[in-house]
Every structure is written in C-alpha cells, then in structure tokens.
Amino acid sequence: MTLASSVVVPYAAYLRVYEPLAAFPEPERSHWARYARRDDLPGAQDELRRSLADLLPVPPVPVPVHESSDAFVAVVDGVTCVCPWRTRLRGWLALEELAERLPAPLLDAALPPVVRRQAAADYERWLERNPDARPWIRSATWHVPVRWFVLFADDEREYAKGDDGPLLRYRTPMVQARRRVARALKVLKDGLGEGPLIDGLVDVGRWLEEFHPRSLVELDYGGLVHAVPPGQLDDDHSAADVTEGLAALREGDGERAGRVYERLSARWSAVRRRQNAS
C-alpha cells in the first residue's frame, strides 16, 4: 500500500536491476506475477518513507523485522521485470557501512550499541540460511558514483519534468552494461594500472554477473534531483563525460581525460557540499 504523504525524501541515487519473472523460482515467480498486475504499485519515495518511519521509535529499528514483499516493476519489450526491494537485507548492509563512515559517538547516539549488536546477530543467523543472498538495489547518498555511469550511454538518458518533480535516469539491457564494464576495465587497467575506480568497477561487474542476462539495469538519480539546481540538471550528461574520458584514455590523451575528470569532480563536489550545508 502506498503511503499517503507528499513529503519528498532526498538525497539518494540508486542502481537497480530488474529481472524477468523467469529468473525467479516458484512460488516467488507467481507472487511477483500477481504483484505486477496491481494498480497501486508503490514508488521509491514510499520505500524511503517506510524505512525512515522505522527509525522513529525508541529504541530505533534500523533493520525491518520482516523482509519486504514489494518491488519496482518495469515492462521491457513486453516482458515484465521486477526489482525486489529486499529492504531488510539492504538495511543490514547499510548498517555495516554506517559503522565505517560515522564517528563512534555520533553512531552510538543515533543507534545504540545494543541495537547494532542485535541487528548484527540477526544478520549472521539470516546469512547462515541465505548464503547466496544479494540485493537488487545499490544506493549512494549525495552523489552518483562515477563507476555507475560506465554502464550507460548518453542516448539512454531519460530526463523529464513532471508534477512530482524532475526525473533523471538511465536504463540499459544487462548485456550492454556488462559489455561496457569489461571494455572500461581494459582501458582503465591499460591507462592507470590500478586504483579505487578500477576496484569499484570490478565490484559492480561481479554484482551484475549474479543476475539474469536479460535483466534491465537502471541508474535513477532519485532524490538527488532535488539537490541539483534545475539548470545544472538540464546540463548534466555525466554518462557522456565518462564515455569521453574513457575514449581519451584509450587514445592515450591523458590531458583530455584529465579535463573530463575535473569536470565530473566539480559537478559532484558541488552537490556534496550541499550535504555539509544542510
């Protein structure tokens, strides 16, 4: 059920995989087939509001007690594809990342140690029963990781201004995303040797390999569209910039590749500065 609220929850971007129904075993396949026929499918903001609502009780509930039975739905060339939310799994993964990002006093104030220990124990028991589990959704706050843009081409960019605010996303077939990752890794390894961009792209590539080859891959700016001024959003063609930078590296033009990287860095640094000002 969609939550009745007009509050927009920023500021995160998402990398999602939508798998065809054939990728799911029964009885999950039948569940998603029935689900996709619903008229009241929830959206990304509904998912975020539900997650934030769990943090209001005292003590907070950082990870849902039960796994979500919701998903995002897309129809690709007549084929129904779904992207399960798996909110519980993603909550556990986010909690692990949070411990690495926040100072201990701030983390303890937001999520007391006893709450985190219980969540960690629950996750450990759950993993014993679900050793091959993986999320269909990755998220990033206050920026879009540069490695995500490698998966897409500029002509796959969708930008629209609707009553609910702007939408900026890219969508591509899984086979294209995997091919672009492989090509980019070759260029980057030949030109740079090693580095965090390469490591991050290797990780994304491994994640993509876990899904059905006829899946759809989507990069959604999500709430970030509310953190970027409209004029800058109109001019944001970051996937094209990444494509240009890789082409420059392939041609041995380090100077041009550097200019593209500086352009990308300036764009996303400006967005992240808004986080510190908020």
Side-chain angles (χ1 to χ4, degrees):
M1 180 181 299
T2 302
L3 295 184
S5 173
S6 61
V7 177
V8 175
V9 184
Y11 294 103
Y14 305 92
L15 188 63
R16 304 187 182 107
V17 173
Y18 295 75
E19 289 195 282
L21 293 176
F24 298 91
E26 292 290 2
E28 189 176 7
R29 182 187 307 171
S30 295
H31 164 74
W32 292 129
R34 291 190 301 271
Y35 181 93
R37 292 193 292 268
R38 288 172 42 178
D39 295 327
D40 60 340
L41 293 173
Q45 287 296 315
D46 298 310
E47 182 201 12
L48 277 172
R49 293 185 192 110
R50 294 178 193 180
S51 300
L52 292 177
D54 286 336
L55 298 178
L56 296 179
V58 180
V61 182
V63 178
V65 176
H66 302 290
E67 187 54 274
S68 171
S69 59
D70 286 304
F72 299 113
V73 178
V75 178
V76 184
D77 296 329
V79 177
T80 298
C81 298
V82 296
C83 174
W85 288 4
R86 290 296 190 270
T87 310
R88 195 176 194 216
L89 171 58
R90 289 164 53 214
W92 277 317
L93 297 175
L95 199 57
E96 290 184 338
E97 294 179 5
L98 203 61
E100 300 173 357
R101 294 180 180 179
L102 293 182
L106 179 57
L107 182 61
D108 290 346
L111 294 171
V114 64
V115 173
R116 302 203 307 276
R117 285 195 297 269
Q118 182 61 57
D122 292 343
Y123 183 37
E124 186 174 341
R125 287 192 296 270
W126 185 87
L127 271 182
E128 291 176 357
R129 302 190 302 272
N130 304 273
D132 299 323
R134 78 281 196 263
W136 278 257
I137 304 172
R138 290 188 167 193
S139 60
T141 55
W142 289 100
H143 76 297
V144 178
V146 170
R147 59 185 176 274
W148 290 6
F149 290 112
V150 171
L151 282 57
F152 306 93
D154 189 58
D155 60 8
E156 295 164 340
R157 179 181 185 267
E158 301 176 33
Y159 180 48
K161 301 175 183 179
D163 295 336
D164 296 328
L167 166 74
L168 204 170
R169 71 183 181 192
Y170 295 82
R171 284 181 165 182
T172 195
M174 176 63 77
V175 64
Q176 281 282 27
R178 289 176 177 171
R179 185 179 297 124
R180 288 167 181 152
V181 168
R183 290 173 176 171
L185 281 173
K186 183 180 186 308
V187 171
L188 290 170
K189 288 177 180 179
D190 289 346
L192 304 178
E194 58 183 22
L197 178 57
I198 294 175
D199 294 341
L201 194 54
V202 167
D203 177 63
V204 169
R206 288 173 177 165
W207 179 63
L208 294 179
E209 290 294 334
E210 299 184 31
F211 298 98
H212 193 283
R214 295 193 177 182
S215 298
L216 173 75
V217 185
E218 174 186 77
L219 192 170
D220 182 0
Y221 272 45
L224 277 183
V225 296
H226 304 286
V228 181
Q232 293 182 26
L233 206 58
D234 293 346
D235 297 333
D236 184 336
H237 289 263
S238 293
D241 290 336
V242 169
T243 299
E244 181 186 349
L246 289 171
L249 275 179
R250 187 183 302 112
E251 296 164 6
D253 190 342
E255 183 178 345
R256 181 160 64 98
R259 289 197 302 270
V260 173
Y261 180 77
E262 289 176 3
R263 187 164 68 235
L264 272 169
S265 296
R267 177 180 301 138
W268 291 107
S269 294
V271 175
R272 298 190 97 162
R273 281 197 296 272
R274 292 174 177 267
Q275 177 183 10
N276 298 326
S278 64

